[in-house]
Amino acid sequence: MNQHYYDTLFSAAREKGLTISAAADEAAMAFLDGKPMGQGKKRWSGRDRHTALWSSEFLKALPADVWSQEPLRLALTQYLAQDRVACPELVARVAAIAPDVLMWATRHSDLVMRQDSPRWLEISKLDADQHEALAELTRVFLIFREAHQVRLDEVARLRNPLRELAPLDLLIYASLFAFEHQIPNLLDGRSRPNLPDVQEAWDAIDDILAWKLASCDESDLQLSETSLASSLRQHLIPFLFPSADRPRHDCYQAFLTLLGAQVELNAFVHRSADAFSYDDSIRFERCGDHLEIVEVDADAIAAWRRDGKKFDLLHQYWLYRGMDALLNAPDLLARVSPANLEANLQALAKAMGTWLRLQEVYGMAEQVRTDTGSSAMVFHVLMTIELMTAFFIEDYLRPYQQSLSETGNSFLALGRLAFSGLLQPDLQNRFPLTWSDRTAKVERIKPWTATAKQPSGSSPAAETILDFMTCDWAAMAKQLRAGEMALRPRWQERPIFKMGRLSLQLPWMMAVQNNSAAVINNLRRLGSRRNETKEETRRIEERLGALFRKRGFQVLVGYEVAEDANAGEIDLICARDGHVLILELKSTYQRRSIKEAWAHRTSTLRKAGLQLSRKVPVVQRALGQDMELMNALGLKNGQPTVIAWIVDTSTEWDHQLFRGFLKISLEEVLIALRDERMLLNQPHGLFAGHADRAHPPDDYEKPYKDDTLYPDGFSAARLVEVIETAAVWEGSL
């Protein structure tokens, strides 16, 4: 391996006439982009790249202003975020000439949560008399460390009373908590003090279950009817029905106490430590032995909140699109059972909306491969999940709400719900959590796989759907014990839990979760390494290109300029009315935290800006020299107006600039091209609450006539104005 790789890059850049600053950028950007990768047995590891970069001679002579540039700051951040390669003299040099850079990198490397790291020891050993700012940072870190340790110790202490319980037992107590506290809040639309919100509680339960899976006996994950019945008799039945056995209030209270402590720990990590590390809109100031948060960028805070609101508005947009598509699918409508018609129609509309989203935004094909190697029809998966949700709402939540209003006691209401199921001729399971073996589950799903050729459905198709939705807890326990935490499924993403011969579901979770986000992240986060992802990316380009063509653009997909191989492939070039749009597309998953969003900004979006900075000049030169390209784009003589955008499947960092290029969401472009801004504004209140109607009103088409982004007709110039002024979101945010 060439240990002087980055020195060679730097020297070559200088020989081409680049400044020291630009040459250092070239080397740092190569490192950030994972170069060199190597080939075969000579492949470079992350450790190899760190060793090569931090031993480079050119770093020793860099002035402070060069260290302040983003590429080197991010490279230094990556150095501080790893523990395998040490270069303490580097830290000392940066501290001497650019202490602000070292403080920035320290903050953004998450060292505040890894204070046992050798990298933090390198910083904390610096002479405090010479580095007062770093000395103050050390005092801040100490406050974080002590506060974190107090919360860790509390969680560890409160786990002790629950160590003998099995994962199933904890699921039972989580279900009791959900029905006693969360479901009543959701049903009456009120929030009660001293209770975590739904997502905070779910994340905490997820963490408690992960701890239990990593520490339980393997036999606890091989459920049988006998072991299930034993757990129910001890931990659930006494809460629901009068019996000789007393309810285990000690276990339930221990679970609630641990849950509260876990919520507090998570809140500290996400709202304090992650905010300190990744939220540049705030600053933490030390006041004696505690810290206070000071807002330093109100615009950035407002932008972050707007991006979150967009997520909700887009969910509504696809619901409306789904209803529209459902009304134009008579074959599908004909299969809807008249029982619970309204709920089933809404479930199918949600499934259809998510299916459209997966196709148009994420490039999904009709089938997707599961972990077992089988192929599942994506729409059937979506329909199954949404119909399950509709079933749990109608057959669990609504009867429970009625009983709760009559009894005023959550456990009595749960007992009534369970007893009503036992009174059914076929003994329906109406317990707070459900279970079945694989054969029974497949039979329940089978009718939802019906097609024209197989009107009764297909058992193999039902099995693949089940595989897609199932998380094998024995396999996940093995993964957790091995310390492989990165891509473990969140329980909403794969909401059927396999434990030996039996599979479990949580009606209270399935009834209220965002199924669209769960399925998208099942595919895009957990399935990011699937073989199909390259094909999906190409389909995104082709489908967006087709939408531009419908608007009269000439479109090139995956264009490469032969004279400049370094520019790489240009995802989309769209031309009309003397305007040329160059689009760099990025497809990822839906993020949930500032930490994930910051990583996206400094990796994928930073790289996208860099790519456009290389591609745009190449295209501009080609437009002046290549008549074949001009003809393909329908351009006449004269220099066209060239505009380049980063188009991303996420809404984070919308309408911000990366290397001078605007970043926008793919869905914003879709809505602008389809002229459907009105669907973001609760048209007719169609999806307010649980939807008051199963069919749209008589003036269903009216919004298309009244609210348009193009009152004077569509043009490329107006599209550019719509995008650059965020007109799609006008009146919605």
Side-chain angles (χ1 to χ4, degrees):
M1 292 184 181
N2 180 9
Q3 295 298 321
H4 305 290
Y5 176 83
Y6 299 106
D7 274 326
T8 303
L9 276 183
F10 179 83
S11 299
R14 293 289 285 146
E15 289 172 5
K16 289 190 295 185
L18 271 65
T19 64
I20 290 177
S21 172
D25 262 10
E26 288 278 319
M29 286 188 294
F31 170 79
L32 292 172
D33 292 343
K35 298 175 182 177
M37 289 182 285
Q39 294 180 342
K41 293 182 179 180
K42 295 184 178 180
R43 291 188 66 83
W44 282 56
S45 65
R47 181 173 186 167
D48 294 331
R49 283 188 285 273
H50 275 288
T51 300
L53 178 63
W54 306 120
S55 62
S56 297
E57 289 295 319
F58 81 89
L59 292 177
K60 298 176 182 178
L62 292 183
D65 63 324
V66 177
W67 279 106
S68 297
Q69 296 170 170
E70 184 184 54
L72 270 172
R73 281 190 292 133
L74 290 174
L76 181 60
T77 300
Q78 289 196 13
Y79 167 75
L80 295 175
Q82 56 81 45
D83 292 339
R84 295 170 294 176
V85 176
C87 191
E89 61 275 12
L90 167 79
V91 171
R93 172 167 174 74
V94 177
I97 66 170
D100 288 348
V101 172
L102 181 58
M103 290 180 65
W104 186 93
T106 301
R107 176 183 173 187
H108 290 84
S109 64
D110 202 25
L111 272 178
V112 74
M113 294 296 287
R114 300 186 306 109
Q115 294 186 41
D116 56 349
S117 165
R119 303 293 79 77
W120 174 242
L121 294 179
E122 291 172 1
I123 296 169
S124 59
K125 286 180 180 179
L126 294 170
D127 190 342
D129 294 334
Q130 297 182 25
H131 306 288
E132 174 53 33
L134 289 175
E136 177 62 17
L137 183 66
T138 300
R139 290 189 280 270
V140 169
F141 267 48
L142 179 60
I143 293 173
F144 268 105
R145 182 170 189 163
E146 290 176 346
H148 187 215
Q149 193 60 53
V150 166
R151 289 161 175 80
L152 286 174
D153 291 345
E154 182 70 355
V155 167
R157 181 181 71 81
L158 294 173
R159 284 173 176 173
N160 286 327
L162 300 171
R163 287 193 178 278
E164 300 306 315
L165 298 188
L168 172 61
D169 305 331
L170 288 183
L171 276 183
I172 289 172
Y173 289 114
S175 300
L176 291 174
F177 160 76
F179 275 100
E180 183 178 17
H181 297 291
Q182 289 191 303
I183 297 302
N185 288 2
L186 292 169
L187 290 173
D188 63 20
R190 291 184 294 167
S191 60
R192 290 168 173 78
N194 304 320
L195 280 176
D197 68 26
V198 171
Q199 195 58 56
E200 286 179 333
W202 286 11
D203 289 344
I205 293 169
D206 201 14
D207 291 332
I208 292 170
L209 290 171
W211 156 70
K212 178 55 66 175
L213 287 176
S215 59
C216 71
D217 292 335
E218 292 185 16
S219 60
D220 290 337
L221 300 172
Q222 300 299 320
L223 280 186
S224 64
E225 285 82 356
T226 301
S227 59
L228 173 70
S230 175
S231 181
L232 294 176
R233 277 197 303 271
Q234 184 176 2
H235 298 287
L236 179 62
I237 300 299
F239 283 93
L240 307 189
F241 305 118
S243 68
D245 298 319
R246 299 185 64 182
R248 292 295 304 271
H249 288 293
D250 58 330
C251 291
Y252 184 42
Q253 189 57 50
F255 173 82
L256 294 178
T257 307
L258 174 59
L259 178 63
Q262 187 70 56
V263 168
E264 171 63 24
L265 172 60
N266 291 355
F268 172 82
V269 171
H270 299 309
R271 297 180 188 172
S272 297
D274 283 355
F276 172 83
S277 298
Y278 304 108
D279 189 348
D280 292 321
S281 68
I282 60 173
R283 181 177 67 247
F284 282 73
E285 291 186 353
R286 186 175 64 87
C287 299
D289 60 354
H290 70 280
L291 301 174
E292 292 186 357
I293 296 176
V294 178
E295 294 185 357
V296 296
D297 191 340
D299 290 341
I301 293 170
W304 177 259
R305 289 172 179 163
R306 283 196 303 272
D307 290 346
K309 180 71 180 299
K310 287 177 185 178
F311 183 84
D312 296 332
L313 291 171
L314 289 170
H315 183 61
Q316 174 185 289
Y317 167 81
W318 291 107
L319 279 172
Y320 204 100
R321 288 277 310 275
M323 176 63 83
D324 195 34
L326 179 61
L327 293 174
N328 288 284
D331 291 345
L332 186 59
L333 283 171
R335 298 209 305 266
V336 178
S337 169
N340 297 323
L341 177 64
E342 188 173 311
N344 288 334
L345 281 173
Q346 191 171 10
L348 290 178
K350 290 178 180 178
M352 188 69 81
T354 302
W355 173 224
L356 291 172
R357 191 178 201 177
L358 286 170
Q359 291 179 91
E360 296 177 22
V361 181
Y362 296 96
M364 287 292 162
E366 290 189 356
Q367 296 189 2
V368 64
R369 193 169 298 277
T370 69
D371 289 349
T372 62
S374 58
S375 293
M377 294 289 291
V378 177
F379 180 67
H380 283 165
V381 170
L382 296 168
M383 188 167 62
T384 299
I385 292 175
E386 294 295 356
L387 287 171
M388 282 182 176
T389 290
F391 168 73
F392 287 135
I393 289 173
E394 295 302 317
D395 285 54
Y396 282 74
L397 262 56
R398 294 198 190 283
Y400 172 73
Q401 183 181 26
Q402 178 64 33
S403 293
L404 184 61
S405 67
E406 294 171 359
T407 64
N409 184 294
S410 60
F411 296 149
L412 285 176
L414 279 175
R416 279 193 183 184
L417 178 64
F419 193 65
S420 68
L422 297 175
L423 292 177
Q424 298 296 318
D426 52 352
L427 292 177
Q428 293 288 321
N429 185 333
R430 295 294 182 268
F431 283 90
L433 73 169
T434 68
W435 58 91
S436 64
D437 62 24
R438 183 176 179 85
T439 301
K441 203 73 179 172
V442 167
E443 284 303 306
R444 290 194 187 96
I445 294 174
K446 180 180 174 181
W448 298 336
T449 66
T451 62
K453 292 183 179 179
Q454 293 180 301
S456 299
S458 161
S459 293
E463 290 195 58
T464 60
I465 292 171
L466 189 57
D467 291 338
F468 181 87
M469 298 169 59
T470 294
C471 178
D472 186 332
W473 275 23
M476 188 161 72
K478 185 177 180 181
Q479 179 184 347
L480 290 168
R481 291 187 192 108
E484 300 170 5
M485 300 285 289
L487 282 180
R488 72 176 178 89
R490 300 179 184 121
W491 60 341
Q492 302 102 307
E493 292 168 348
R494 294 188 178 171
I496 297 178
F497 314 137
K498 181 178 183 295
M499 301 172 69
R501 291 183 50 249
L502 299 178
S503 295
L504 279 74
Q505 274 184 280
L506 305 176
W508 49 273
M509 181 182 76
M510 289 277 313
V512 300
Q513 76 165 9
N514 185 326
N515 290 324
S516 175
V519 172
I520 288 169
N521 280 352
N522 189 335
L523 291 165
R524 300 301 303 181
R525 189 180 75 86
L526 298 178
S528 60
R529 297 172 186 170
R530 291 177 297 113
N531 294 332
E532 297 92 340
T533 52
K534 283 189 177 181
E535 297 173 15
E536 289 163 6
T537 300
R538 178 48 58 96
R539 279 194 291 271
I540 296 170
E541 297 167 358
E542 291 172 348
R543 288 169 179 171
L544 184 58
L547 203 51
F548 272 99
R549 287 191 186 98
K550 286 184 178 180
R551 281 297 191 179
F553 284 86
Q554 299 297 313
V555 178
L556 295 177
V557 179
Y559 179 78
E560 293 188 58
V561 180
E563 291 75 15
D564 196 331
N566 291 329
E569 185 178 273
I570 294 142
D571 295 336
L572 278 180
I573 305 177
C574 309
R576 174 184 157 151
D577 306 334
H579 286 71
V580 174
L581 304 179
I582 301 172
L583 307 184
E584 180 71 23
L585 269 62
K586 297 299 177 186
S587 176
T588 53
Y589 63 94
Q590 296 182 348
R591 287 161 190 81
R592 304 197 312 165
S593 69
I594 188 67
K595 180 177 182 177
E596 291 178 333
W598 189 85
H600 183 53
R601 177 178 187 165
T602 56
S603 55
T604 304
L605 298 180
R606 177 198 60 81
K607 187 174 181 179
L610 176 63
Q611 289 170 321
L612 280 179
S613 71
R614 293 170 177 167
K615 294 176 180 181
V616 169
V618 170
V619 174
Q620 287 176 319
R621 286 195 299 271
L623 288 172
Q625 303 168 3
D626 189 341
M627 289 306 299
E628 186 177 343
L629 175 61
M630 294 282 285
N631 291 334
L633 293 174
L635 297 171
K636 300 178 181 178
N637 294 333
Q639 191 66 24
T641 301
V642 177
I643 298 157
W645 296 327
I646 300 167
V647 180
D648 180 32
T649 53
S650 72
T651 59
E652 291 93 5
W653 316 115
D654 258 3
H655 287 269
Q656 297 195 26
L657 299 178
F658 294 82
R659 291 261 171 164
F661 300 105
L662 187 69
K663 182 271 173 189
I664 50 178
S665 70
L666 176 55
E667 284 161 294
E668 180 174 346
V669 178
L670 289 175
I671 293 168
L673 288 169
R674 294 174 60 91
D675 195 12
E676 291 179 334
R677 175 175 62 181
M678 75 293 297
L679 301 189
L680 295 167
N681 291 308
Q682 280 279 50
H684 307 293
L686 185 62
F687 288 103
H690 288 286
D692 296 327
R693 49 172 76 90
H695 302 285
D698 294 336
D699 57 347
Y700 176 75
E701 296 291 339
K702 188 175 180 181
Y704 291 88
K705 301 171 185 176
D706 287 356
D707 186 3
T708 177
L709 292 163
Y710 311 101
D712 299 320
F714 183 89
S715 68
R718 175 56 184 164
L719 174 65
V720 171
E721 182 184 6
V722 163
I723 294 298
E724 293 187 344
T725 62
V728 161
W729 308 104
E730 188 177 311
S732 300
L733 298 177

